[in-house]
Amino acid sequence: FFRQTQKIAMNQDSRVHINSGKRQKANSSFYFGADASSKYKRHQVEPHPFGIKPLGNRYLSRNGNVRDESFGILSMLDDRIIFGILETLEDFKDLVRLNFVCKSFFVFSQADSLWKPFVLETFGGDFRFQGSWKKTFVFETLAKRGINQIPPFASFKIEDFFSDVIFNQWYCVTVDLAAWSKFENIDRRDNLSYEEFVEQYEKPNRPVIITDVVKNWNSEAWSKEKMLERYGDIAFKTDQGVNMTLKDYFQYCSEIKEVSPMYLFDNTFAEKCTELFKGYEIPKYFKEDFFSLLQGNDRPSFRWILVGPPRSGSSFHKDPNFTSAWNGLFSGCKKWILYPPEEIPPGVHPSEDGWEVET
């Protein structure tokens, strides 16, 4: 799924049963299409900050592709291979040195995907995001030396630089998702009885959105403002294996532009934040919980708080321990893509027994 707006939700596993697999140029903007008709306007994105354009534009250029000229013999390598090589660098200084090699390496070495690991490995979750992962690394490194400002960063356009890989990364973090997120074919129900839920959805293993549950909870406790007031200095787990205070995380959410942003995914929120725990109740449809028979450490994790900025989410997966999770959405938009159990989604490679899923 992806999230089109910042989202706050809680997630809880319930019954033990098998779960299905989840999961052209105008004044200042580019279009992914042959013309600028309304057909393509929903795909409109701002120009890349360094002027990178999709690879097909090289056929309209008289000067060829600066990328190939700049890389020389390395130009035979696919951009994904080059990124794969750069991801093996273990010292950020090597990434800095590449800035001075050629135009191509300068562009590649700005990628957030290369700087993010250095920030997380060096500072854990103790950082204040500065608009990009490279700027964040520089800011936090200088701050440790008592310098609380960011030096100026190069800002210029490179003519005739064409790369689908680099442009697609920019496209994915800037294109408006609203049009796509409005499409849905999952039932929305209210006043749904327990018997109707079991017969119409649980037994046939069909998804459903129940619209009159969360609105009866204490949603004020789950508002961003109230959470910051009460729990701003409390550290929460993220999906990247680091802990961040809630105020630092929300500040990160307000500035991030990333293909796959970090999101909070904390299974201990109930112990840290009692008001949040009291702010919801298990719906009548999920009261029967066989895992409740396991006590203490024998019981696997079964409830989480999830908070994410636009585009955060997960890849296709099955829930652990053959459970089906129910989700309560307090704010924002959370989009799910679901496949029936007998269908394998494109790009997904499950093990023979279906236990492990790789994407």
Side-chain angles (χ1 to χ4, degrees), residues 81-108:
I81 294 177
I82 293 175
F83 271 121
I85 294 173
L86 297 184
E87 287 171 359
T88 66
L89 297 178
E90 298 180 355
D91 190 335
F92 77 92
K93 294 178 183 178
D94 293 328
L95 202 53
V96 173
R97 293 185 184 104
L98 287 176
N99 280 263
F100 305 98
V101 174
C102 63
K103 291 180 180 179
S104 293
F105 272 127
F106 173 83
V107 171
F108 276 73

Side-chain angles (χ1 to χ4, degrees), residues 137-149:
F137 185 86
V138 172
F139 177 84
E140 293 295 340
T141 300
L142 293 177
K144 298 295 184 184
R145 303 174 184 175
I147 305 173
N148 294 311
Q149 61 182 16

Side-chain angles (χ1 to χ4, degrees), residues 177-243:
L177 301 175
W180 186 81
S181 66
K182 290 177 181 177
F183 175 82
E184 63 177 67
N185 55 2
I186 297 177
D187 290 352
R188 287 179 173 267
R189 297 289 302 272
D190 59 8
N191 296 315
L192 183 67
S193 70
Y194 176 82
E195 292 74 21
E196 288 174 322
F197 171 76
V198 171
E199 294 299 323
Q200 298 177 28
Y201 299 102
E202 184 175 42
K203 286 184 177 179
N205 202 16
R206 292 179 57 217
V208 60
I209 299 172
I210 305 173
T211 61
D212 56 352
V213 171
V214 175
K215 65 183 181 182
N216 293 319
W217 294 348
N218 180 18
S219 58
E220 180 185 4
W222 289 76
S223 69
K224 176 181 176 180
E225 295 73 22
K226 188 62 69 174
M227 289 176 65
L228 281 172
E229 177 186 326
R230 291 175 173 169
Y231 313 115
D233 293 323
I234 293 181
F236 289 81
K237 299 177 184 179
T238 73
D239 66 319
Q240 296 295 309
V242 301
N243 296 344

Side-chain angles (χ1 to χ4, degrees), residues 110-174:
Q110 308 304 308
D112 266 352
S113 59
L114 299 177
W115 286 98
K116 182 177 182 178
F118 287 121
V119 173
L120 299 181
E121 291 169 10
T122 306
F123 306 107
D126 186 17
F127 63 87
R128 295 279 288 176
F129 193 72
Q130 302 298 317
S132 76
W133 287 105
K134 181 178 181 179
K135 288 182 179 180
T136 302
F137 185 86
V138 172
F139 177 84
E140 293 295 340
T141 300
L142 293 177
K144 298 295 184 184
R145 303 174 184 175
I147 305 173
N148 294 311
Q149 61 182 16
I150 301 178
F153 278 67
S155 178
F156 54 87
K157 305 289 185 182
I158 303 177
E159 295 292 331
D160 300 315
F161 195 114
F162 310 117
S163 168
D164 278 346
V165 172
I166 296 177
F167 185 84
N168 282 349
Q169 291 175 350
W170 174 251
Y171 174 84
C172 288
V173 303
T174 55

Side-chain angles (χ1 to χ4, degrees), residues 8-9 23 36 59 76 100 104 111 145 213 217 239 259 269 289-290 306 309 312 314 352:
I8 301 173
R23 300 255 129 249
Y59 298 110
M76 69 177 66
F100 305 98
S104 293
R145 303 174 184 175
V213 171
W217 294 348
D239 66 319
V259 175
F269 79 95
D289 183 1
F290 298 136
L306 290 80
S312 61
S314 70
E352 279 190 34

